């Protein structure tokens, strides 16, 4: 069933004709010849859209639009008016109608308008639901999500949170890998000890070694005193190694020994110090490819990769984007001391349509900007960044009804491989898993199609 339609027209034959056509197109239909009777039914039953003639005896179509807008604003009204009656059509829109069609009604055009109105109604319901519902906060207080990818993530976290195994978090930049790591720490037996994050790409090799393992006085120029290092700072807690793929190759053996022997040697020191630290590493790169290219040690990869968790990109999480956006709006409204209560339906649709290459970080920034700029109680389309306003969704088509436009299988495969690779941000391991190919087969196909970067 495509939706529930309520038809209101004083011409019974018109009602019957429209109802028959719409039922044939998989809509559930009710109809009335009097607006008063239709409005009573609206109070007792749920409909996705009302299709109402403007010229009705008694309560007119304009008055019906006004009463529905006042009492059931969630239900869109599509007005029907005679050909050339633009003034009446405009009046219906001002009275609260969602759209209008002219008589005689074109069936295909009517279906398109009704589908758009029904989608609008469904989105309104979703936005209201997300605004009302308390975020799911069972054991993972800081993480929000109702989508299947997030439920899978929560399930994995539940099973490993209170273990000591090393974890490798994979995911694009901005997906919240550090938040996942911190949540795992807070749900573990180590929660009362420190959670220490370090970005392995932010420091040069010498400084990173000193930062991680500490140093003894005089170990190098400027080392005027002993320094503990982050492994010891995180004692009994968790050390989060972000951007671990960027760790210098010469420093990787020392990290491997720390993981295997549970001991470190400070820079310039003569003896090892035993440690009790859980390691969680993260990267947005393809580590298997880095191993193949000699940029990352294979033995270290397997030592870090005891348990691998993929943090899903925002574009794969469906309407989670609205749940997160609503949360950000509340946070920034409070911070900026502004009365902003939510997100308009049109703005919500733009948020759902957009691809979010910057993931949750980009969404957070967009909502901060929107709350700061808006002059209304609900975020409007104009409050969103221009690239979100202007974004047009790309669709991947592999077929046509015209035999002359059909593609050879090789071209279809090439396009789909490139599409998957684009969606996963160029990560060949992730693409291979989606395509159910081994990496060598995927590499050969990409090579054949000239899709490998030089």
């Amino acid at each position: 069933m495509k939706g529930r339609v309520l038809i209101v027209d004083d011409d019974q034959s018109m009602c019957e004709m429209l109802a028959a056509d719409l039922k044939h197109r998989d809509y559930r239909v009710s109809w009335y010849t009097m607006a008063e009777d239709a409005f009573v039914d609206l109070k007792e039953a749920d409909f996705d859209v009302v299709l109402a003639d403007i010229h009705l005896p008694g309560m007119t179509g304009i008055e019906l639009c006004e009463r529905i807008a006042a009492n059931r604003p969630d239900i869109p009204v599509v007005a029907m008016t005679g050909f050339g009656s633009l003034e009446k059509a405009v009046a219906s829109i001002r009275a609260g109608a969602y759209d209008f069609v002219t008589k005689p009604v074109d069936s295909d055009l009517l279906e398109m308008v009704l589908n758009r109105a029904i989608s609008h109604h469904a989105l309104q319901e979703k936005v209201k639901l997300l605004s009302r519902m308390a975020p799911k906060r069972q054991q993972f207080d800081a993480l929000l999500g109702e989508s299947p990818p997030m439920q899978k993530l929560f399930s994995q976290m539940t099973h490993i949170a209170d273990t000591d195994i090393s974890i490798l978090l994979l995911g694009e930049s901005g997906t919240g890998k550090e938040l996942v790591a911190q949540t795992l720490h807070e749900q573990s037996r180590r929660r009362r000890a420190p959670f220490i994050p370090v970005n392995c790409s932010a420091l040069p090799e010498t400084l990173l070694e000193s930062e991680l393992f500490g140093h003894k006085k005089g170990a190098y120029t400027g080392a005027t005193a002993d320094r503990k290092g982050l492994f010891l700072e995180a004692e009994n807690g968790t050390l989060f190694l972000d951007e671990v793929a960027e760790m210098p190759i010469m420093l990787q053996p020392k990290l491997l020994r720390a993981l295997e022997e549970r001991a470190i040697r400070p820079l310039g020191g003569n003896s090892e110090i035993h440690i009790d630290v859980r390691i969680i590493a993260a990267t947005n790169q393809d580590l298997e490819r880095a191993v193949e290219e000699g940029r990352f040690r294979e033995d270290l990869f397997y030592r870090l990769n005891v348990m691998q968790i993929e943090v899903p990109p925002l574009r794969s999480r469906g309407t989670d984007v609205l749940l997160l956006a609503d949360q950000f709006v509340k946070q920034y409204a409070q911070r900026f001391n502004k009365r902003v209560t939510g997100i308009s339906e049109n703005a919500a649709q733009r948020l759902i349509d957009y691809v979010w290459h910057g993931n949750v970080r980009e969404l957070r920034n967009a909502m901060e900007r929107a709350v700061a700029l808006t002059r209304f109680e609900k975020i409007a389309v104009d409050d969103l960044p221009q690239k979100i306003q202007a974004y047009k969704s790309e669709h991947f088509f592999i077929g046509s009804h015209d035999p002359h436009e059909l593609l050879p299988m090789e071209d279809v495969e090439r396009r789909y491989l490139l599409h998957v690779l684009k969606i996963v941000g160029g990560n060949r391991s992730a693409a291979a898993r989606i395509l159910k190919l081994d990496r060598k087969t995927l590499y050969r196909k990409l090579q054949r199609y000239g899709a490998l970067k030089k």
Side-chain angles (χ1 to χ4, degrees):
M1 186 190 69
K2 293 180 179 178
R4 299 154 298 182
V5 183
L6 177 62
I7 300 172
V8 190
D9 195 303
D10 61 334
D11 185 340
Q12 182 173 331
S13 61
M14 174 63 75
C15 289
E16 292 171 345
M17 182 188 72
L18 288 171
D21 181 63
L22 291 175
K23 286 177 181 177
H24 179 70
R25 294 170 185 257
D26 295 326
Y27 296 90
R28 184 179 297 167
V29 184
S30 299
W31 57 266
Y32 290 94
T33 57
M34 298 292 292
E36 290 85 352
D37 297 334
F39 189 71
V40 170
D41 200 6
L42 273 172
K43 293 179 180 179
E44 300 173 354
D46 282 325
F47 293 93
D48 296 304
V49 61
V50 174
L51 178 62
D53 189 26
I54 294 295
H55 301 284
L56 294 171
M59 185 195 301
T60 67
I62 298 294
E63 291 170 336
L64 178 61
C65 287
E66 291 173 340
R67 293 186 68 174
I68 293 175
N71 295 276
R72 292 297 305 270
D74 55 309
I75 300 179
V77 179
V78 175
M80 291 187 292
T81 184
F83 180 75
S85 301
L86 182 59
E87 190 176 320
K88 290 289 186 182
V90 172
S92 69
I93 298 296
R94 288 175 176 167
Y98 172 77
D99 206 343
F100 70 91
V101 293
T102 58
K103 291 183 177 181
V105 177
D106 179 277
S107 297
D108 293 333
L109 176 61
L110 177 61
E111 182 176 23
M112 183 183 72
V113 172
L114 290 178
N115 286 344
R116 195 164 57 224
I118 289 169
S119 296
H120 176 76
H121 172 66
L123 182 60
Q124 280 186 310
E125 291 299 300
K126 184 68 176 178
V127 171
K128 285 197 298 184
L129 175 64
L130 292 175
S131 297
R132 286 198 307 264
M133 66 184 290
K136 235 181 186 181
R137 291 189 179 275
Q138 302 163 353
Q139 65 271 49
F140 302 119
D141 293 343
L143 295 170
L144 300 178
E146 299 290 333
S147 63
M150 287 302 288
Q151 294 306 307
K152 178 182 177 182
L153 175 64
F154 293 158
S155 176
Q156 290 176 312
M157 293 174 68
T158 299
H159 288 96
I160 63 171
D162 207 23
T163 70
D164 274 342
I165 62 173
S166 298
I167 299 169
L168 179 61
L169 299 178
L170 303 178
E172 298 174 12
S173 178
T175 51
K177 297 185 291 296
E178 182 172 343
L179 183 57
V180 171
Q182 188 165 2
T183 303
L184 286 168
H185 169 75
E186 291 169 354
Q187 297 299 320
S188 74
R189 63 178 178 80
R190 297 177 179 270
R191 66 180 68 88
R192 292 182 179 84
F195 171 83
I196 305 292
V198 56
N199 189 325
C200 297
S201 67
L203 297 170
E205 181 177 343
T206 305
L207 289 180
L208 181 60
E209 182 177 6
S210 174
E211 189 79 5
L212 287 173
F213 303 102
H215 62 253
K216 291 294 184 180
K217 180 180 178 180
Y220 56 86
T221 303
T224 58
D226 290 354
R227 190 181 190 283
K228 288 172 64 175
L230 296 180
F231 267 99
L232 290 180
E233 293 285 351
E235 181 69 9
N236 298 317
T238 301
L239 182 63
F240 174 57
L241 302 176
D242 198 8
E243 305 294 351
V244 72
E246 300 293 339
M247 177 165 285
I249 191 73
M250 298 301 292
L251 194 54
Q252 292 177 24
K254 195 164 183 177
L255 175 59
L256 177 64
R257 179 167 180 80
L259 289 169
E260 290 184 335
E261 303 299 329
R262 295 290 170 181
I264 61 167
R265 178 175 294 180
L267 195 62
N270 297 318
S271 59
E272 291 190 328
I273 304 172
H274 288 282
I275 55 170
D276 178 16
V277 176
R278 184 187 195 179
I279 301 296
I280 300 178
T283 181
N284 59 9
Q285 295 189 33
D286 186 343
L287 265 190
E288 291 182 47
R289 182 178 175 182
V291 170
E292 290 176 1
E293 295 175 351
R295 295 184 289 110
F296 203 83
R297 290 179 60 110
E298 185 174 20
D299 47 6
L300 178 58
F301 168 69
Y302 287 118
R303 193 65 187 83
L304 290 171
N305 195 35
V306 177
M307 177 67 185
Q308 184 181 111
I309 294 180
E310 290 195 32
V311 183
L314 186 55
R315 62 180 171 274
S316 73
R317 294 174 54 182
T319 53
D320 276 359
V321 66
L322 299 183
L323 186 65
L324 289 163
D326 186 67
Q327 187 76 358
F328 293 147
V329 167
K330 290 175 181 175
Q331 290 177 7
Y332 290 116
Q334 184 176 15
R335 181 181 299 180
F336 300 151
N337 194 27
K338 294 185 71 172
R339 180 173 171 76
V340 184
T341 59
I343 304 166
S344 71
E345 289 78 21
N346 290 337
Q349 187 63 61
R350 297 297 178 93
L351 297 180
I352 290 175
D353 290 342
Y354 187 64
V355 290
W356 300 109
H357 291 300
N359 291 296
V360 178
R361 184 184 295 127
E362 184 181 9
L363 175 63
R364 178 190 290 275
N365 292 341
M367 292 301 99
E368 181 178 11
R369 175 189 186 277
V371 173
L373 292 179
T374 190
R375 295 169 294 139
F376 309 105
E377 289 192 0
K378 289 193 173 184
I379 300 298
V381 171
D382 289 345
D383 300 320
L384 301 175
Q386 182 59 37
K387 63 180 178 179
I388 298 176
Q389 294 183 41
Y391 178 76
K392 293 184 179 179
S393 179
E394 294 180 2
H395 297 279
F396 181 76
F397 297 102
I398 62 172
S400 168
H401 295 295
D402 184 348
H404 296 95
E405 295 180 357
L406 294 176
L407 301 172
M409 181 59 73
E410 185 172 294
D411 198 12
V412 172
E413 181 181 66
R414 180 183 64 82
R415 292 190 186 191
Y416 188 62
L417 285 177
L418 296 179
H419 178 71
V420 171
L421 201 62
K422 178 182 177 182
I423 291 299
V424 297
N427 188 318
R428 293 181 198 164
S429 297
R433 283 193 293 274
I434 292 170
L435 295 164
K436 297 197 182 322
L437 299 173
D438 60 70
R439 280 177 48 83
K440 290 182 179 178
T441 300
L442 176 62
Y443 186 89
R444 285 197 303 270
K445 287 179 179 292
L446 293 173
Q447 194 173 41
R448 186 172 82 217
Y449 296 137
L452 290 175
K453 294 181 179 178
K454 301 288 187 181

